[in-house]
Amino acid sequence: MAVGEEDETGRVRRPSSKKPVKKTAGKTSTGRAGSGTNETKRAARRVSAPRAMRYAAEQLQELLGRAPESVSALKPTEDGWQADVEVLELERIPGTTSVMASYRVTLDEEGELLAYERTRRYTRAQIDPRG
């Protein structure tokens, strides 16, 4: 399956962010034996913040069947990314009374969804009391 094509499950293959590492006699491609730590290796594989935001929104839409309105927060974690995604759950008239939901999405370092949970429901016009 080529990049950008759908497989039998309907998922689109994204370009891999993994780069091959050459090893010779216990040395990495940098020429330093044993210099690569797990932190360095993890950072090299981690998708960028813009990609993590896009992947969080796309994969949540695939699961919920609703298009996300925005990604309101994104932060790196030890194992990948955590994003808060805002979704229109129930459209009402007037639009200010529509029901919104905030979902916390957990991605691995390559941008694949590991978990999600709804953390909050509110009307579109509601102001967050936390600021």
Side-chain angles (χ1 to χ4, degrees):
M1 177 172 79
V3 173
E5 290 182 359
E6 288 188 9
D7 64 10
E8 61 277 356
T9 63
R11 294 198 65 172
V12 176
R13 180 170 177 233
R14 294 189 289 261
S16 174
S17 61
K18 292 182 181 178
K19 294 182 181 176
V21 176
K22 297 178 187 175
K23 288 190 175 183
T24 55
K27 294 183 180 181
T28 63
S29 59
T30 60
R32 292 177 282 173
S35 63
T37 65
N38 284 341
E39 291 288 322
T40 308
K41 291 176 186 175
R42 232 183 252 142
R45 286 193 310 233
R46 185 187 303 259
V47 296
S48 66
R51 279 198 178 135
M53 290 176 69
R54 190 168 46 254
Y55 293 168
E58 288 172 357
Q59 292 176 81
L60 188 62
Q61 179 176 356
E62 186 177 323
L63 291 170
L64 298 178
R66 295 184 198 102
E69 299 247 327
S70 66
V71 177
S72 59
L74 179 73
K75 69 177 183 178
T77 64
E78 193 173 304
D79 300 321
W81 294 96
Q82 180 177 294
D84 290 342
V85 182
E86 308 305 315
V87 176
L88 174 65
E89 292 231 317
L90 180 61
E91 191 167 9
R92 292 184 176 160
I93 299 174
T96 55
T97 63
S98 293
V99 178
M100 302 292 294
S102 184
Y103 286 85
R104 174 132 320 132
V105 177
T106 305
L107 304 173
D108 68 12
E109 56 202 11
E110 295 174 348
E112 293 298 317
L113 188 135
L114 298 174
Y116 76 95
E117 67 176 315
R118 185 172 62 198
T119 57
R120 180 173 174 244
R121 284 185 93 187
Y122 57 97
T123 59
R124 188 184 291 274
Q126 186 176 351
I127 296 173
D128 191 353
R130 294 175 282 175

